[in-house]
Amino acid sequence: GLPKPPADTGKRKSTCRWEEEHEELESARRRARRLRKINRRLSPSAAERGCGIANLGGYVDVVCRTDRRASKRFGVASCSRMMCPTCCFQSKAKLVKRMIPALVGAVQDGRIVVMITTTLRHDKNTSAAKLIKGFSKGWNRVNSALKYHFGKDNKFEYCRCRDYMFSLANGHHIHQHQLLVAPVGATLAVVDELDEVVWDSWVKFSESNGFGTPSRDGFDVRVVAGRGSAANVARYITKLTKSAFEVAGDAWKKGRAGSMSLWEMLDALSRLPECETRMIIEEAYTEYRSASYKKQSFSTSKGFFGLADVENSNDGEDEDEDEDVIGEVPNPLDVLAAEFT
């Protein structure tokens, strides 16, 4: 008969798979360090320019591994900035990990969560500073319209994040995501009217500030999660996690149809030789970083993160032993591995 396979075949396969995953992780780290080297030269932030090279003390310890050619330095400064290629992933994951409990707490409290996406019409010559200022002023107009719509005494919470792309054909392109938590007691009928309320206020602002009528294709209002029982909240956790990554996880997004994210721009700068295309990309990257320096790309209302501490309105009532229990909030890094790799 045929010879039997070795007893440790499965172990070898798993080891090979682990080695492949490890090599992919190592290549991602090397790419991040390569992009950080370019970012040090172009960043307006002193902390980013010293990330990975500035000393925290008088000396640096280099610890080497014995099983492979790798080492780690201790005593080197890390900027922990969201715009740094090596620090942004951990910073964004920590942010998302704070957002998810707040969103789950809002749904437990009987609130409705809505995602709003807005864009501004622009051309190739529109400056990044004008777009950033426009989104900030535009949200103030929308915020006023939402207060009038819900009523002065009905408080809503929100978080919003600016997402940036660049293309050689269309220049700077920014769109903004907002996760809006409707007030307690807001009905679906009131929430359904948000599409018209937000669109009307956004169009009025855009036209009055010289941006023209925005494209309806770049505007979206959709319900992410609604009020419900514990079983419904448990089902919404995955959806809320994906929404949180969509709002705050621009570090994992890739451009389409010729568009480039900030990290893809840095990657192009590290690969392209000296040419006109490289010069255009470098100028665009420097312009956006200078325009966005010391300006928040992510902001929340005062009570947004406090929603994680909101107690369920049914806590005082008797519960069935067989009722579904909400599981633990998933680790954002696990969701990242499943959805963005």
Side-chain angles (χ1 to χ4, degrees), residues 24 37 39 112 122 127 144 159 170 172 215:
E24 291 177 359
K37 186 176 181 180
N39 187 60
I112 300 174
H122 62 91
S127 66
S144 299
C159 68
N170 300 316
H172 304 286
S215 172

Side-chain angles (χ1 to χ4, degrees), residues 241-296:
T241 304
K242 292 180 180 179
S243 299
F245 269 107
E246 186 172 350
V247 170
D250 59 304
W252 299 287
K253 296 180 181 178
K254 295 182 178 180
R256 294 178 296 178
S259 296
M260 294 180 288
S261 65
L262 282 174
W263 317 126
E264 289 174 319
M265 293 174 72
L266 288 175
D267 190 60
L269 292 176
S270 67
R271 296 178 182 276
L272 288 174
E274 292 293 337
C275 60
E276 184 179 0
T277 300
R278 190 183 192 281
M279 183 180 65
I280 294 174
I281 295 174
E282 182 173 332
E283 289 178 354
Y285 181 85
T286 305
E287 179 187 352
Y288 176 75
R289 289 302 314 276
S290 299
S292 61
Y293 183 53
K294 293 187 176 181
K295 291 182 174 60
Q296 292 183 341

Side-chain angles (χ1 to χ4, degrees), residues 121-135:
R121 190 176 294 277
H122 62 91
D123 57 31
K124 186 177 181 179
N125 299 319
T126 306
S127 66
K130 182 179 179 180
L131 287 172
I132 293 174
K133 185 177 180 179
F135 275 99

